[in-house]
Amino acid sequence: MSDIIVQKFGGTSVADTTKIKSVADAVIKEKELGNDVVVVVSAMGHTTDYLVKMAKEISEKPSAREMDMLLSTGEGVSIALLSMAIQEKGYQAISMNAMQIGIITESVHQKARIIDIKTDKLRKHLDDGKIIVVAGFQGVTEDGEITTLGRGGSDTSAVALAAALRAKRCDIYTDVEGVYTTDPRIVPCATRLKQVSYGEMLELARVGANVLHPRAVETADLSKIPIRVRSTFKLDNKGTLITGVENMEIELSQPVTGVASDLSQVRIVFCDIPDVPGNAAKLFGTLAKENISVDMIIQSYARTGNNTNDIAFTIDKADLTRTTQILESIREDLSAGAIHIDDNIAKVSIVGAGMVDRPGIAATMFETIAKMGVNIKMISTSEIKISCLVEKKDSDEAIKALHTIFNLDSDKIAVVKGDLPNI
Ligand code: ASP
Ligand code: MG
């Protein structure tokens, strides 16, 4: 039995018919290596943005169901065209959408999670020697309703398909050459990583390294599918391999793997919440029920005499209107005070599997930011990540300084954590 390789091509890779023809070549190259190939594609170029724009011209708040009907059409175009391009080159191909395959999601519009993927039809087509071209980003509920997985969701479609088919690898083809230590548009001397662990990639994806959808990394981690991020336009370049930390050599001299900033969050401070059991549960429980993800959370120390806490937390900008409505609706019930919103924030983070149990790393980060005369508004840490909230205007400079201090600038660092294994 041949190995299955899942390939995913993003919108820039299929932006026009000439590019679609080159993608067909990359697909055929993989097939010629003797693999069974499943290809996942996004909508062409800026199609999805264009569809969103049209919807907004018609309605300020279009219904989520109709948005999914609309946005799912973009991928329908690219799968048919790519399948034709592959056929034109003399190979058998078939395009399939989520409904035809049975990519089953929960019943949530616009950010649905995949719960199951039916593989019987896929396996049959592969056995018949066909290359399958799958529409990314979309799913279908048990009742046959079309859903989408959230912007950038084709990555997740690809990894979930790879997991369901027990593929050997999932290759994410994009317009950059791999995963970098930070955004090369901000720090030109950023270095391409040869390998990065799922955990590090997840943190980097969450804090705004735009290469991969975080849920795709989570899915890969759970199913242990190796992901390779590589360039559509430089097929000989092996890109970055994302794999389990157990397959990597951690270099103690290199505790920080990457630096990233996220400008899409808003900080909310909910003041004077009575310091009694259950209030935080009520607050975050209500937000969770509405599907609003909360990122950093800080509860202040309850001073005697006052006996209330301020709770500060960050959310995605896109959830701001709904979040403030929810907070207003529970404010009386909690006997809480004012709500302050600060959208002039950037979350600057350092990530590295090698910083576990090394307190000096946090101190170096804070010192570096202090030396710039920049105020830190909030701090949060996990085992392999430290994040600081700063003002938006300070974000790029902080990223540059941290990149240098942690020895990530490309002229100084040997990022190579061992040779790339031949997966
Ligand atoms: N076409 C969708 C988007 O633009 C999905 C994707 O590209 O991954 O968000
Ligand atoms: Mg994308």
Side-chain angles (χ1 to χ4, degrees), residues 145-164:
E145 285 293 311
I146 303 285
T147 53
T148 59
L149 312 181
R151 294 304 306 271
S154 304
D155 294 342
T156 304
S157 310
V159 178
L161 272 161

Side-chain angles (χ1 to χ4, degrees), residues 195-250:
Q195 292 186 65
V196 60
S197 67
Y198 295 121
E200 290 169 310
M201 192 61 228
L202 194 55
E203 294 292 6
L204 285 171
R206 280 210 193 100
V207 294
N210 282 323
V211 232
L212 273 184
H213 198 243
R215 217 180 304 142
V217 188
E218 253 165 38
T219 310
D221 189 5
L222 283 175
S223 51
K224 299 296 169 222
I225 296 283
I227 301 182
R228 205 165 59 168
V229 176
R230 52 188 308 203
S231 161
T232 314
F233 310 109
K234 292 191 183 160
L235 289 180
D236 293 331
N237 192 327
K238 282 199 161 183
T240 300
L241 183 72
I242 305 166
T243 181
V245 73
E246 62 283 358
N247 299 329
M248 296 173 39
E249 242 174 73
I250 303 284

Side-chain angles (χ1 to χ4, degrees), residues 8-12 41-49 71 74-75 136-138 150-157 213:
K8 182 257 166 178
F9 293 88
T12 42
V41 279
S42 297
M44 292 171 71
H46 297 290
T47 303
T48 313
D49 291 335
L71 298 194
E75 274 69 12
F137 178 54
Q138 52 179 257
R151 294 304 306 271
S154 304
D155 294 342
T156 304
S157 310
H213 198 243

Side-chain angles (χ1 to χ4, degrees), residues 25-336:
D25 290 332
V27 173
I28 289 167
K29 191 173 169 203
E30 198 64 63
K31 176 79 181 160
E32 281 295 316
L33 291 174
N35 295 310
D36 280 343
V37 184
V38 175
V39 194
V40 175
V41 279
S42 297
M44 292 171 71
H46 297 290
T47 303
T48 313
D49 291 335
Y50 177 64
L51 295 171
V52 170
K53 184 170 166 275
M54 282 200 292
K56 289 272 152 73
E57 280 167 14
I58 287 180
S59 160
E60 218 169 88
K61 213 174 167 300
S63 93
R65 179 187 184 277
E66 299 311 327
M67 280 308 281
D68 279 352
M69 283 304 263
L70 178 68
L71 298 194
S72 65
T73 62
E75 274 69 12
V77 174
S78 43
I79 52 170
L81 291 175
L82 178 58
S83 185
M84 287 174 199
I86 297 169
Q87 289 170 356
E88 192 60 26
K89 290 177 194 281
Y91 288 76
Q92 293 188 71
I94 181 166
S95 62
M96 294 183 84
N97 64 25
M99 199 177 257
Q100 290 168 313
I101 295 172
I103 300 180
I104 311 296
T105 70
E106 53 183 17
S107 299
V108 174
H109 285 293
Q110 303 219 268
K111 47 177 168 182
R113 283 173 179 269
I114 297 175
I115 41 188
D116 187 29
I117 297 184
K118 312 271 184 248
T119 54
D120 40 342
K121 282 187 205 144
L122 294 172
R123 288 208 186 271
K124 182 166 179 313
H125 289 310
L126 290 177
D127 289 346
D128 292 345
K130 288 181 194 147
I131 293 167
I132 309 174
V133 186
V134 177
F137 178 54
Q138 52 179 257
V140 60
T141 66
E142 300 276 9
D143 318 333
E145 285 293 311
I146 303 285
T147 53
T148 59
L149 312 181
R151 294 304 306 271
S154 304
D155 294 342
T156 304
S157 310
V159 178
L161 272 161
L165 290 165
R166 297 205 181 79
K168 185 179 178 206
R169 207 179 60 231
C170 181
D171 284 350
I172 306 274
Y173 287 82
T174 175
D175 50 350
V176 293
E177 285 173 47
V179 180
Y180 284 78
T181 47
T182 194
D183 186 342
R185 285 167 302 187
I186 302 174
V187 183
C189 60
T191 314
R192 180 169 60 82
L193 294 161
K194 291 214 167 170
Q195 292 186 65
V196 60
S197 67
Y198 295 121
E200 290 169 310
M201 192 61 228
L202 194 55
E203 294 292 6
L204 285 171
R206 280 210 193 100
V207 294
N210 282 323
V211 232
L212 273 184
H213 198 243
R215 217 180 304 142
V217 188
E218 253 165 38
T219 310
D221 189 5
L222 283 175
S223 51
K224 299 296 169 222
I225 296 283
I227 301 182
R228 205 165 59 168
V229 176
R230 52 188 308 203
S231 161
T232 314
F233 310 109
K234 292 191 183 160
L235 289 180
D236 293 331
N237 192 327
K238 282 199 161 183
T240 300
L241 183 72
I242 305 166
T243 181
V245 73
E246 62 283 358
N247 299 329
M248 296 173 39
E249 242 174 73
I250 303 284
E251 274 188 36
L252 286 177
S253 60
Q254 198 57 57
V256 175
T257 305
V259 181
S261 61
D262 180 359
L263 301 174
S264 69
Q265 296 208 350
V266 186
R267 176 173 71 158
I268 296 179
V269 187
F270 205 3
C271 299
D272 302 322
I273 302 178
D275 188 29
V276 293
N279 273 349
K282 223 177 271 168
L283 166 59
F284 294 111
T286 316
L287 292 174
K289 239 184 266 148
E290 295 292 321
N291 238 323
I292 292 172
S293 324
V294 173
D295 186 31
M296 300 165 108
I297 301 176
I298 291 183
Q299 176 177 293
S300 70
Y301 168 63
R303 290 170 296 269
T304 16
N306 182 344
N307 232 7
T308 61
N309 288 314
D310 296 340
I311 297 185
F313 57 95
T314 62
I315 53 157
D316 203 273
K317 219 185 288 172
D319 291 329
L320 180 61
T321 319
R322 265 186 326 128
T323 305
T324 37
Q325 280 163 359
I326 293 166
L327 296 185
E328 287 298 350
S329 74
I330 58 172
R331 181 178 13 198
E332 225 167 274
D333 188 27
L334 293 178
S335 318

